[in-house]
Amino acid sequence: MSAVTTTAPGLADVFARCRAEGRAALVGYLPVGFPTVEASVAAMRVLVEGGCDVVEVGIPYSDPVIDGPVNQDAMVTALAGGARVDDVFAAVRAVRDAGAVPVAMTYWNPVLRRGVERFAADLAAAGGSGLITPDLVPDEAEDWLAASARHGLDRIFLVAPSSTPDRLEVVTTASSGFVYAASTMGVTGARTSVDSQARGLVEKVRAVCDLPVGIGLGVSTREQAAEIAAYADAVIVGSALVRTLGGEGELADRLEALRSLTEQLAAGVREGRA
Amino acid sequence: MDEAAEGMTPVPLERPGRFGRFGGRYVPEALVPALEQLDEARQKAAVDPEFGDELARLHATYTGRPSIVTEVPRFAAHCGGARVVLKREDLNHTGSHKINNVLAQALITKRMGKTRIIAETGAGQHGVATATAAALMGLDCTVYMGKVDTERQALNVARMRILGAEVVAVEHGSATLKDAINEALRDWVTNVGTTHYCIGTVTGPHPFPEMVRDFHAVIGEEAREQVLELTGRLPDAVLACVGGGSNAMGIFHRFVPDEGVRLVGVEAGGEGVESGRHAARFASASPGVLHGAMSYLMQDADGQTLESHSISAGLDYPSVGPEHAHLRDSGRAEYRYATDDQVMEAFSLLCRTEGIIPALESAHALAGAMEIGRELGPDGLVLVNLSGRGDKDMHTAAAWFGLVDEGTQ
């Protein structure tokens, strides 16, 4: 349990280190239970070994309204295979033990069902640093604001290109750790180009707060990672990793492909500010 | 009692978008500006005589409002002898109450400067109504429908396409109404700049539950006057089926201040609550969030949504409008369920005693009326919202009653 104590590095440490190294952080997402619970945990270790600074441990959910087909299908597979919310905490622990900073990512109802306080306690006990909440806005987050404060967890809310100045103020005021900026209007999934809106959104967020800003949605290649690393504090990659893990062939080969993609992305976040 | 009720105003919401502890706005941040824009637009419209006049004109010349009421004594003979009055929303253009809400939202869409309207549909009634309003007002229209539902409601798919709408069959998840809503939300979050999501019932994030209720409140306003005129008194009970709950909120709303009037919602009991194959949320579910609102939700121990079941696609939904959850918990309304067997009996009975073929959804309310009528006895007076007509259900009904000839299936 030693890593659970306050000495465990958190998101602030990650961003401080990345700043010192003159690069962006790499954040990788995978849902627990895809293709199996055991394989998903092995895959998260691969993300850490391949260079992810932060791993988003996803909770599969029956109705993921901001996810595109790749992540939806992975969640369907995970749930059909019997993945449970309890498995998330074991995965968080595994990421922590592998040496990266784990945060959980979940739609809100699984947290409500467990109880916001109990969920926060369990996540903190497993070594989690925070929680990304794609369908919870701060306006509805009273219980979570209190529970996260009690358990020292970071609150990562999302902003979008549609966010008005008022909304950016509301969201960033409630946020800690970093701000998750959606690069484009839409659902998760790889895109050939990341919207030019992304850079503008990062600037708008920086105008209202001092938190690091990560860009997610649509990032899949080293070149995109480098492009975003030029102006954002973190590059967030999800469905491209999920697609690679869910590809053809033996699991061992797919894990190697995942390692290779992660290494490419890790190189990308180091190139952007050259 | 009547005069006292006239003076009462509905209790204001404790905070916007909340009905007690239910409702709210559990959505991706990307949608919040659109919800704020919609809330502003509908509030402006509510006090704008131009909007009110235009909607009233459409209802009078297009929808066919006011819809009539029909007393059904031959049916009532099977309801313990209580008087039974039907509010005939089945006679509206497109065949159900859904058009009330859709015309209003289509007008709002234009007022917001948007050119495209999207909708989810289960039985197809809301999809057909939306496709109709889009044709009338020159809006692009896409309707999301679960693949399972496109198969059991193939005629409505054809109707929507003939009206010029694109119909997308959703194959993800259980491929029914809830998955159609997921897909519509994904479309909306991608195209929100040009597109309005015309939610078809009193669920979803604020302001939808309140707004859709307000657009259907005309049902109860008319029915209350009509029953008073017909019988000289208020009904003992007002009944409606409850899927998401829009026709029920529409007829209930005006009666909420009438404390002596029981408000009875009838959910889909499917194959029986003990079977697990049902949509009787209040009989089995617990509070949770789905599609942007906190309400009663059929869910497992981890908060994963459970699949619902009903013979009527329009009630086949694992959650329920948040205002119903509040009316139930506060004791103002009561909820029971009717099983598929009970529903088909009531359906058949109304067809054969009154010559009215109800939608299977509405037949749930009729099954409830048979129970409530027997509880009230001959002095009772029951108002039932006949929310839709049954043409779309002929295939299901014919199969149920064995009326399909070999080879025509």
Side-chain angles (χ1 to χ4, degrees), chain A residues 59-69 72-73 76 79 83-86 108-110 112-114 134-140 142 158-160 162-164 167-168 171 185-187, chain B residues 15 18 23-33 36 172-173 178-179 181-183 185-192 286-291 294 297 299-306:
Chain A
I59 300 184
Y61 178 54
S62 53
D63 296 276
V65 296
I66 202 169
D67 277 298
Q72 286 176 48
D73 288 347
V76 167
L79 292 174
R84 300 293 309 268
V85 171
D86 281 336
W108 197 235
N109 198 51
L112 277 178
R113 184 64 165 164
R114 194 176 190 89
D135 66 345
L136 183 74
V137 292
D139 318 55
E140 302 288 357
E142 200 177 324
L158 276 68
V159 296
S162 61
S163 298
T164 58
R167 290 304 305 172
L168 289 175
V171 174
M185 295 301 289
V187 297
Chain B
R15 59 187 168 111
R18 284 279 171 177
R25 191 179 268 175
Y26 297 86
V27 292
E29 179 64 35
L31 290 179
V32 171
E36 290 182 341
H172 277 282
K178 111 182 151 61
D179 308 286
I181 296 175
N182 290 341
E183 208 54 36
L185 284 166
R186 292 183 188 114
D187 180 320
W188 201 29
V189 89
T190 307
N191 301 301
V192 68
S286 51
V289 165
L290 179 67
H291 297 144
M294 165 93 69
L297 173 66
Q299 56 185 326
D300 72 9
D302 275 355
Q304 310 291 351
T305 310
L306 293 173

Side-chain angles (χ1 to χ4, degrees), chain A residues 7 40 50 56 91 95 103 108 135 145 189 204-205 208 213 218 220 224 228 233 270:
Chain A
T7 57
S40 67
E56 268 184 54
V95 169
V103 297
W108 197 235
D135 66 345
L145 298 183
K204 285 196 283 181
V205 173
V208 294
V213 188
S220 62
Q224 287 174 323
I228 293 165
D233 301 293
R270 286 164 172 81

Side-chain angles (χ1 to χ4, degrees), chain B residues 73-370:
Chain B
R74 280 169 48 76
F75 177 79
H78 300 267
C79 304
R83 292 181 76 175
V84 177
V85 176
L86 306 182
K87 177 63 172 168
R88 301 291 305 279
E89 292 298 299
D90 61 317
L91 297 179
N92 293 340
H93 181 44
T94 71
S96 80
H97 70 291
K98 295 290 187 188
I99 192 80
N100 301 328
N101 165 50
V102 163
L103 287 175
Q105 285 204 46
L107 287 177
I108 300 260
T109 302
K110 294 186 78 164
R111 289 168 75 95
M112 292 189 297
K114 295 186 173 181
T115 56
R116 178 170 177 264
I117 194 162
I118 61 172
E120 83 294 341
T121 198
Q125 293 303 90
H126 175 59
V128 167
T130 305
T132 299
L136 177 68
M137 299 192 200
L139 298 166
D140 293 330
C141 179
T142 300
V143 178
Y144 291 94
M145 191 169 185
K147 182 118 197 316
V148 170
D149 292 332
T150 60
E151 284 160 9
R152 58 181 170 180
Q153 301 287 349
L155 271 180
N156 270 342
V157 175
R159 285 171 83 193
M160 289 183 269
R161 287 181 174 150
I162 282 169
L163 288 161
E166 177 193 13
V167 179
V168 178
V170 178
E171 299 191 40
H172 277 282
S174 56
T176 60
L177 179 57
K178 111 182 151 61
D179 308 286
I181 296 175
N182 290 341
E183 208 54 36
L185 284 166
R186 292 183 188 114
D187 180 320
W188 201 29
V189 89
T190 307
N191 301 301
V192 68
T194 59
T195 299
H196 174 61
Y197 179 16
C198 181
I199 292 184
T201 188
V202 288
T203 54
H206 178 66
F208 283 103
E210 201 178 290
M211 179 180 74
V212 175
R213 175 203 70 199
D214 289 345
F215 291 152
H216 282 303
V218 64
I219 303 171
E221 285 157 13
E222 289 173 6
R224 190 173 179 280
E225 276 185 34
Q226 289 165 321
V227 169
L228 279 172
E229 190 180 342
L230 180 71
T231 69
R233 71 180 185 98
L234 289 173
D236 298 301
V238 178
L239 279 88
C241 64
V242 181
S246 66
N247 91 83
M249 279 317 310
I251 199 163
F252 285 178
H253 188 58
R254 180 60 186 85
F255 289 98
V256 167
D258 297 324
E259 286 176 16
V261 178
R262 287 167 66 185
L263 305 176
V264 184
V266 185
E267 296 183 281
E271 295 171 13
V273 168
E274 59 293 336
S275 74
R277 287 175 56 77
H278 63 85
R281 291 68 47 102
F282 288 126
S284 67
S286 51
V289 165
L290 179 67
H291 297 144
M294 165 93 69
S295 185
Y296 280 81
L297 173 66
M298 294 169 66
Q299 56 185 326
D300 72 9
D302 275 355
Q304 310 291 351
T305 310
L306 293 173
E307 285 183 25
S308 54
H309 168 80
S310 169
I311 195 164
S312 60
L315 304 184
D316 198 346
Y317 185 61
S319 188
V320 59
E323 190 168 9
H324 285 293
H326 178 59
L327 287 173
R328 188 254 199 177
D329 278 12
S330 67
R332 179 62 191 94
E334 56 194 85
Y335 296 83
R336 48 179 78 196
Y337 60 85
T339 62
D340 291 348
D341 287 336
Q342 292 171 304
V343 167
M344 296 314 289
E345 185 197 344
F347 170 86
S348 173
L349 197 59
L350 190 74
C351 295
R352 295 189 172 218
T353 57
E354 301 285 350
I356 298 170
I357 301 177
L360 293 180
E361 289 78 13
S362 317
H364 286 71
L366 295 167
M370 292 172 71

